[in-house]
Amino acid sequence: MHFVINVFVTAVCFISIILFKEILNKNVKVLLSVIGCGTLSYALAILVKKCGEWFGCWSGDAQYIKSDFLWIFAIVLVVYIIINIIAKKNKA
């Protein structure tokens, strides 16, 4: 259930940025982007844990979800920044 809630929050953040891009100031866009990337990363960490449980390669220790979250967050943030740069170049 936490996975679904985190994916929903991510979708709401990113859709809000897209729909209200002309109304929101830059600080609010950055805040929504960080919240969206954070919740997406946590959702992916939960998904990694669940897949590990399903395939029998997860120890069941909850402390590893924090380390999964940290490296997934870095990857998601870099991908998001790259997509943003590409979108700005295509727009100009």
Side-chain angles (χ1 to χ4, degrees):
M1 191 65 173
H2 289 149
F3 173 76
V4 175
I5 293 169
N6 285 319
V7 171
F8 178 74
V9 170
T10 300
V12 168
C13 288
F14 291 142
I15 290 171
S16 297
I17 293 170
I18 293 169
L19 290 177
F20 303 115
K21 68 180 175 183
E22 295 172 0
I23 299 171
L24 299 174
N25 62 12
K26 191 172 186 174
N27 295 332
V28 175
K29 288 180 192 175
V30 169
L31 180 66
L32 283 173
S33 298
V34 170
I35 291 171
C37 287
T39 55
L40 178 63
S41 301
Y42 193 68
L44 291 175
I46 291 171
L47 185 64
V48 166
K49 176 185 171 278
K50 287 294 181 188
C51 287
E53 288 175 354
W54 293 331
F55 296 118
C57 58
W58 182 262
S59 67
D61 199 359
Q63 72 180 4
Y64 294 120
I65 202 163
K66 293 178 185 172
S67 64
D68 286 346
F69 166 72
L70 291 176
W71 66 264
I72 292 173
F73 181 70
I75 293 170
V76 168
L77 200 57
V78 167
V79 169
Y80 182 75
I81 290 170
I82 291 171
I83 290 172
N84 234 347
I85 291 170
I86 292 171
K88 284 188 179 185
K89 283 185 180 179
N90 288 340
K91 188 177 180 183

